[in-house]
Each structure stands twice: as C-alpha cells, then as structure tokens.
Amino acid sequence: MKKVLTIAGSDCSGGAGIQADLKTMSAHGMYGMSVITALTAQNTTGVYGIQEASPDFVAQQMDCIFTDIVPDAVKIGMVSSAALIDVIADKLEEYHAKNVVVDPVMVSTSGSRLLAEDAAKQLILRFLPLAVVITPNIPEAEVLSGRKIQTVEDMTAAAAEIGKNTGSAVLVKGGHHLNDANDLLYQAGKATWFYGERIENPNTHGTGCTLSSAIACGLAAGLSLEDSVRQAKAYISGALRANLDLGKGSGPMNHCFCFEGFHLGE
C-alpha cells in the first residue's frame, strides 16, 4: 500500500484540511498520515477559532512519521506562520521527502489574505522550491507572480513566472469567474490545459485541499504529473456530482462517492 502524508490544519467539521485529505487518500486506496499544524473551530458557515501547533511539536510529528512509515508523497496545505514553515521545510530537506505537492493557502476565494506577510515570504522561499507541483487558485497565483489575472493568457503568463521563480511545476486552478473549471499546468516550459465541467453544486467546501491530495495520491502511485492532475480532476468532479448536502453553509463534498464501503450488519 502506498503512503501519503498531509501537513495541514484540522477542520473539525470534516470538509476540508486534514480530514478532507485523509478521506481522499482512503478513497484512492492509499494509507494516509497527518502532521497537524493547527486546530480550527469551523463549520460550513465559517472559521471561528484557530489554535496553532508549536514548531517543536510539528517537528516531533514529522520525525515520528519519517523515521517509521516513510511517505511516498507529501501534500502541504495550511501552514500559518513563518516559524512553522521553516521547521517543516527543514524536516522535508532532512528526510529527502519526495513527491511534494504544495497548496499555497494564501488568499481565500473571496480575495482575503490568509497569510501574514512574513509567512508568505517564507512560503515562497522555503516551500515552493521543494515542490513537484504548486496548486494556487487565481488570487494566489496573482500574489505569487505579481501579475493581475483577467484572461487565460494572463493565467499562462503567471504560471510561467511562478515556474521560473521556483523551479517547480505550477497548476493554476481556474474558476473565480474566469473560466469554467479549466486548470493550467505549466511544467518545464510546456503549458497543458485540463478542461473540466462546471458542476452546479454550491457545496464546494474543501475542493482545493481535496484536489491537491488527489494529485499527491497519483504521484505516490507512480503516475506522471499530467496523469495525476487528470485523475484528480475526475475525482473532484465525481465528488461534486454526488451532490452531498450537509450543513447550513457551503457544505462538504462526498469524498467516498466512488465506493460503497463496509456495511454494518452484513
């Protein structure tokens, strides 16, 4: 069984963060592990509290994982401080972590900054060069590239700029009223578009976490980056199309749409 590690924050309501990542890994037949960077008090209506883990404790979690069950891929999500970014990057380098996927959680869908300026700089300097692929949404790609993105041509130029500055592949996620769920992968000077259908489902909590985790699963299984992105988009589409409807706000997807699971009593 392939093993995948997620380094991210906990979502107590289960739709995003560590919980979404682990569900995604299980749905892909992978053994999921987690390093928790923060606890959050949140649900489908919003985030009401955050309690960050200490750098020493995050380092201890990573030591326990890499000295025992070595991951075949690593997904990095929400890391909210420069101190945590530094210690995670140090450990990834120390253990020669492979197949690192970074979802740079910097800007919300509504455009609000989620990361302090010093932490954003450390993320760019320490995390992004370690990544096989970076998966920014359009507001995050604007921050990383220093470019305004209003057209598909702007997406390509921004991805090329980020790739040049980091040496990593870049998947700029569409949406944000720019296109119909079409994503752009820029890798080694080559731009590849992945066309997706716009699924009418208001319950999209955790889509970014889920997509990056699914890509990590593909890489852990030995797929190419292009094939990993392709299968990840297919998985997201299926999870959205299942039309799970929970909670009073933007609810979670059905991560387990693709299997019936174990039935109690049988």
Side-chain angles (χ1 to χ4, degrees):
M1 180 177 280
K2 297 296 184 180
K3 299 91 61 189
V4 184
L5 169 65
T6 169
I7 303 173
S10 166
D11 172 4
C12 61
S13 67
I18 289 286
Q19 288 81 351
D21 296 339
L22 293 176
K23 292 173 187 178
T24 299
M25 293 164 193
S26 293
H28 283 78
M30 306 270 163
Y31 182 78
M33 300 177 287
S34 63
V35 166
I36 298 178
T37 61
L39 301 176
T40 68
Q42 67 173 290
N43 56 28
T44 63
T45 66
V47 178
Y48 299 93
I50 299 176
Q51 184 170 321
E52 190 176 274
S54 71
D56 286 345
F57 189 63
V58 168
Q60 189 175 17
Q61 292 179 73
M62 293 187 71
D63 286 335
C64 285
I65 287 168
F66 279 95
T67 59
D68 190 17
I69 304 176
V70 180
D72 297 296
V74 179
K75 172 264 170 82
I76 301 176
M78 185 185 108
V79 183
S80 56
S81 73
L84 286 180
I85 289 168
D86 278 335
V87 75
I88 292 168
D90 287 344
K91 289 299 179 182
L92 292 174
E93 291 172 343
E94 176 184 345
Y95 292 112
H96 306 288
K98 56 187 177 180
N99 293 324
V100 176
V101 178
V102 176
D103 184 18
V105 183
M106 304 172 70
V107 185
S108 71
T109 301
S110 62
S112 300
R113 289 293 293 262
L114 302 175
L115 208 56
E117 194 69 31
D118 64 331
K121 289 179 180 177
Q122 285 304 94
L123 183 145
I124 293 167
L125 289 172
R126 299 298 313 276
F127 275 171
L128 303 193
L130 297 175
V132 169
V133 63
I134 306 159
T135 62
N137 59 29
I138 285 175
E140 288 157 351
E142 289 181 331
V143 173
L144 292 172
S145 67
R147 294 172 175 267
K148 190 69 179 172
I149 300 175
Q150 296 178 321
T151 67
V152 293
E153 291 78 17
D154 293 338
M155 281 180 73
T156 303
E161 185 70 19
I162 298 166
K164 181 182 74 173
N165 293 338
T166 63
S168 303
V170 184
L171 180 72
V172 180
K173 296 175 289 192
H176 295 85
H177 309 294
L178 180 59
N179 61 41
D180 289 329
N182 301 329
D183 300 338
L184 171 67
L185 176 65
Y186 192 89
Q187 181 182 21
K190 176 187 175 184
T192 304
W193 283 95
F194 294 86
Y195 298 99
E197 60 179 305
R198 175 72 72 179
I199 297 169
E200 295 301 325
N201 184 343
N203 297 308
T204 58
H205 185 54
T207 50
C209 307
T210 300
L211 180 70
S212 54
S213 291
I215 292 170
C217 289
L219 294 173
L223 299 181
S224 68
L225 180 54
E226 285 192 17
D227 285 342
S228 296
V229 172
R230 190 171 290 110
Q231 67 84 26
K233 282 184 66 67
Y235 172 73
I236 283 278
S237 294
L240 287 170
R241 201 179 294 115
N243 283 314
L244 184 66
D245 188 17
L246 298 175
K248 298 176 181 178
S250 178
M253 299 174 291
N254 184 356
H255 291 87
C256 298
F257 74 94
C258 50
F259 59 86
E260 294 184 4
F262 177 75
H263 296 281
L264 292 174
E266 291 187 359

